[in-house]
Amino acid sequence: MAKGRIVVNEDLCKGCELCISVCPPGVIKMAADRFTPQGYHPAELVDPDEECTGCAICSIICPDAAITVFRWVPADKIKSTAP
Amino acid sequence: MTDKKMVEALIFSKPESLTDVPTHYCPGCTHGVAHRLIAETIDEMGMRENTVGVAPVGCSVFAYNYFNMDFAEAAHGRAPAMATGFKRVNPDMNVFTYQGDGDLASIGAAEILHAAGRGEMITVIFINNAIYGMTGGQMAPTTLPGQKTTSSPLGRDIESHGFPLKMCEILSQLDGSAYIVRRSLHDPANIRKAKKAIRQAFEVQRQGLGFSMVELLSNCPTNWKMTAEDSLEWIEENMIPYFPLGDFKVHPAIAKSKKG
């Protein structure tokens, strides 16, 4: 299965939890230990078993475009690489 | 694992047509989703340097801060009139307005009706969340029968307050309109459909077929007094039965090309 990861931009995340509600493997959690500059608990990837597939459903529902999604793909099918 | 060389690919990042400014919208508000869909579509069509948007009055009054393109702010409800001016002076530009239900269906009802009636070649993105958000949750023309708002605390009474306006159904009756559809932003599948509809609406404008409008059913977690997740369910359970999703008018030239 494909592997992926997400990066949450904590300047933009408002902790609405919509990404958590749609994540198929359920690997997004709220970070209860810190606040964003706007004063919300941000979402973060908690994925010890590497279950994230990079499906990007969280980024589709995120109202603040705060989630960047990466996925491991075969080198010959690449469109744009991670910076 | 295969022996194929694997590399980490960028699947999704914030579209270039949005600025890095954090929005002032409440957590979970689908205004942000609608902004992103418009920005993605404009990026994909490569029209950012050739687009001008018109912001309304309402929660999205600061939309010009969030879109990384030319933007103008119209008086309350007058965005279609301003967009008409832009489009007539610059017929090659992509002109769109971004309006909420209080702006478009209430104070701006005359402007939207006549812009559609004249067949102005503009695209309207209509955010319908059945309430006035910015002013504190008052009853809007699209408030559902029985829905409680701050100005109808016992629920909208159709005897004294009348019925909600269904703008897609109204505007699709006019000969000047070319593409009138209603979509919802309540789950990822419908968000994808909404993006396709926005793309089709801009195509209609590019081909000069007539007036185009995409109505997007949206939420207002703050004034509906529920969590973001519950508000999306509320759209599905209450709004969609009253405001059915679908294509109300699709110009034959676009209907032939591909399904939206």
Side-chain angles (χ1 to χ4, degrees):
Chain A
M1 183 174 274
K3 295 280 182 232
R5 70 182 166 101
I6 65 166
V7 176
V8 177
N9 181 339
E10 297 193 358
D11 290 338
L12 299 176
C13 178
K14 293 182 190 145
C16 69
E17 306 186 13
L18 288 181
C19 49
I20 295 176
S21 73
V22 298
C23 178
V27 290
I28 307 176
K29 302 273 188 301
M30 300 311 289
D33 59 337
R34 61 183 188 277
F35 292 101
T36 69
Q38 295 190 81
Y40 301 107
H41 289 301
E44 65 177 353
L45 182 68
V46 181
D47 191 13
D49 301 326
E50 298 192 343
E51 290 175 283
C52 177
T53 61
C55 67
I57 287 178
C58 51
S59 67
I60 290 173
I61 204 153
C62 178
D64 294 288
I67 301 177
T68 307
V69 183
F70 302 97
R71 189 192 303 152
W72 288 90
V73 297
D76 49 343
K77 289 189 181 163
I78 189 85
K79 279 185 192 156
S80 56
T81 48
Chain B
M1 293 296 285
T2 58
D3 346 86
K4 260 191 192 164
K5 195 179 166 230
M6 302 288 276
V7 285
E8 192 168 41
L10 178 64
I11 303 299
F12 176 87
S13 64
K14 191 168 187 176
E16 281 181 15
S17 289
L18 289 179
T19 61
D20 288 332
V21 181
T23 63
H24 71 284
Y25 302 123
C26 305
C29 176
T30 48
H31 262 311
V33 177
H35 281 27
R36 197 192 72 231
L37 297 184
I38 295 168
E40 283 178 2
T41 308
I42 287 173
D43 278 358
E44 284 168 14
M45 296 175 82
M47 300 191 305
R48 183 152 66 94
E49 294 297 324
N50 194 31
T51 294
V52 58
V54 185
V57 172
C59 282
S60 46
V61 66
F62 295 127
Y64 50 78
N65 286 333
Y66 309 139
F67 284 103
N68 191 9
M69 61 187 75
D70 289 342
F71 238 83
E73 172 62 48
H76 201 179
R78 273 62 185 169
M82 197 178 221
T84 298
F86 286 141
K87 188 68 182 179
R88 289 195 177 191
V89 173
N90 297 298
D92 296 334
M93 284 198 91
N94 177 43
V95 181
F96 77 94
T97 73
Y98 186 97
Q99 300 179 266
D101 49 348
D103 188 80
L104 182 142
S106 181
I107 193 168
E111 272 72 18
I112 193 72
L113 206 59
H114 286 280
R118 293 191 305 268
E120 297 295 345
M121 308 292 176
I122 61 171
T123 298
V124 175
I125 310 297
F126 170 35
I127 307 295
N128 178 1
N129 62 1
I131 209 161
Y132 278 87
M134 181 186 74
T135 49
Q138 288 85 0
M139 187 174 73
T142 46
T143 295
L144 301 177
Q147 185 184 342
K148 287 183 180 171
T149 67
T150 52
S151 57
S152 61
L154 302 177
R156 181 174 186 157
D157 172 19
I158 50 171
E159 297 262 321
S160 55
H161 304 143
F163 292 94
L165 293 184
K166 297 182 174 180
M167 294 310 293
C168 276
E169 283 85 338
I170 295 169
L171 297 180
S172 62
Q173 301 302 314
L174 301 172
D175 292 337
S177 58
Y179 187 73
I180 307 285
V181 299
R182 183 183 287 129
R183 297 287 186 266
S184 173
L185 299 176
H186 74 277
D187 65 21
N190 281 281
I191 290 171
R192 280 189 181 276
K193 288 179 188 164
K195 185 180 168 188
K196 277 187 190 161
I198 292 170
R199 173 78 189 236
Q200 290 289 46
F202 285 144
E203 286 290 346
V204 165
Q205 179 177 167
R206 182 147 78 178
Q207 296 178 26
L209 302 174
F211 177 88
S212 52
M213 182 175 89
V214 180
E215 175 174 347
L216 300 172
L217 300 184
S218 299
N219 64 354
C220 185
T222 301
N223 288 305
W224 292 357
K225 300 180 174 47
M226 51 184 83
T227 65
E229 197 181 340
D230 289 347
S231 69
L232 297 187
E233 276 172 26
W234 198 89
I235 294 178
E236 191 173 11
E237 287 167 10
N238 297 284
M239 285 188 76
I240 292 177
Y242 202 90
F243 296 106
L245 307 181
D247 301 348
F248 294 89
K249 189 169 192 181
V250 179
H251 193 283
I254 269 295
K256 254 190 300 177
S257 66
K258 59 184 169 187
K259 285 202 157 183

